[in-house]
Amino acid sequence: MITSIELGDFLSHSNTKLEFEDGVTVFVGDNGAGKSSIIDAITFALFGQHTRKSNKGLIKRGTNQGFAKVGFSVNSKQFEAVRKIDNKGTLAAKFAEVIGDDRIEIAAGERKQFGESMTHEVERVIGLDFEKLKIASIVQQGELNTIINAKPKEFKELLNAIIGIDKLDIASEAMKTVNKKFREKIKENVGYDDTHIEFLLRDLEKYEKEIEESKPQKDQLELKQEKLKNEVDDLRGKIETETPKIDKIKQIELRKKELLSYAKEAIREIQREINENERKIQDCEGCFEHIELRLDLESKVQKVEDAIKDTVKKIQEMTNQITSLKEKQLLASKLQLVNNKCPVCDSNVEKLNPLFQEAHLRQEILELQKQIVSKEKENDMYNQKRKEFSIKLQNARDAEATLRAHSINNKEELIKIQKDTEIKKQKIH
Ligand SMILES: Nc1ncnc2c1ncn2[C@@H]1O[C@H](COP(=O)(O)OP(=O)(O)OP(=O)(O)O)[C@@H](O)[C@H]1O
Ligand SMILES: [Mg+2]
């Protein structure tokens, strides 16, 4: 919005200062009063453009220089644009933001080669260039009559020339596509577009009715919710008091587990000892009976061995005797009495010494052979006995070795182990 205009020796104005309020300002004046000059001052200050023939023609006749200054606001910010021209044709321009009494310069001059373009900055701030401003806001001198008198077609063409209405047609066409796309986008984003408004309103009404109808149910549910909330609070309280107990139980269970595993280990150990003792008892139980017989068996074995020796010796003696008797028998067969005379010395002999009698010797050999057979039987019997006693003696020695291996010295010790085993079995229970 334009807020002020100042013209100094500009066209027919020597020194004109105008302040504008909100709303519409109307200039009324005779021909040549200087109304159009104000429009020229505005466009010259902003864009350096005007309707006069030349820049120099802007300077009030009879003066050397003139200026036009425009104050305006955009988005609550205040700006000021001023341009000066002197009779040599020199132009000076300045565009600034107004903050209080200060002027913060935005651009100055139009020396494009130095990157200066005040017009460009003004266009950027107000969002319009001179051409657009002309179309949007300025009806040039004489055009108004043409507008009023124009026929519809011409009127449209004129408006088109003034404000570019054909662009509105194009825009309207373009808007159809924009509308279509916008509708599609809305539908994509929210699932509906403006064509659904009617049935959405129906649905809305329906749902509002449903909401209204379900109010009692909602109240009931709220009551229930309140009740449940209280219950939850109660339960929370309980959890708070119960949690330490649960922790304690967990600790106890852990301890129980430890104790159980300790007990199991202890039982396993005792069971192992029991098994060992039972094996010991089983191994050693019968050993003492064997051991008790050992001395007796040793003496028996000794006796039997003595007897065997004796028998063998006797058999040997008798065998020797038989050999000797057989020699005598051979001799006796040659010593036969002939008419009771000795065959050697021819002396009279009543009868022969039995030692030289063949029959007697035969008898004796037979006797001895019988005795040998009997002794051999005896010897077999002793050998049998010796075998029997030796086995028993070996058993006794094995038993002794077993006891020694188990470090058992006497029956009492074994009984003690048995009792100990019983106690251990009780202990397991
Ligand atoms: N350089 C100048 N120095 C002094 N006066 C000038 C200069 N150029 C034009 N004028 C005068 O300015 C007046 C034109 O002013 P302007 O065009 O603003 O009038 P107006 O109010 O718009 O009139 P109209 O109602 O006819 O449109 C004329 O009287 C003209 O003689
Ligand atoms: Mg005029």
Side-chain angles (χ1 to χ4, degrees), residues 11-12 29-37 52 57 59-61 141:
L11 292 170
S12 58
D30 292 334
N31 293 126
K35 304 180 291 287
S36 294
S37 303
R52 309 293 158 169
I59 305 163
K60 190 168 183 280
R61 277 192 289 271
Q141 185 104 18

Side-chain angles (χ1 to χ4, degrees), residues 355-368:
L355 279 174
F356 297 106
Q357 288 178 14
E358 208 185 346
H360 171 75
L361 287 169
R362 197 181 302 124
Q363 189 57 41
E364 280 220 339
I365 287 168
L366 275 176
E367 191 55 36
L368 278 170

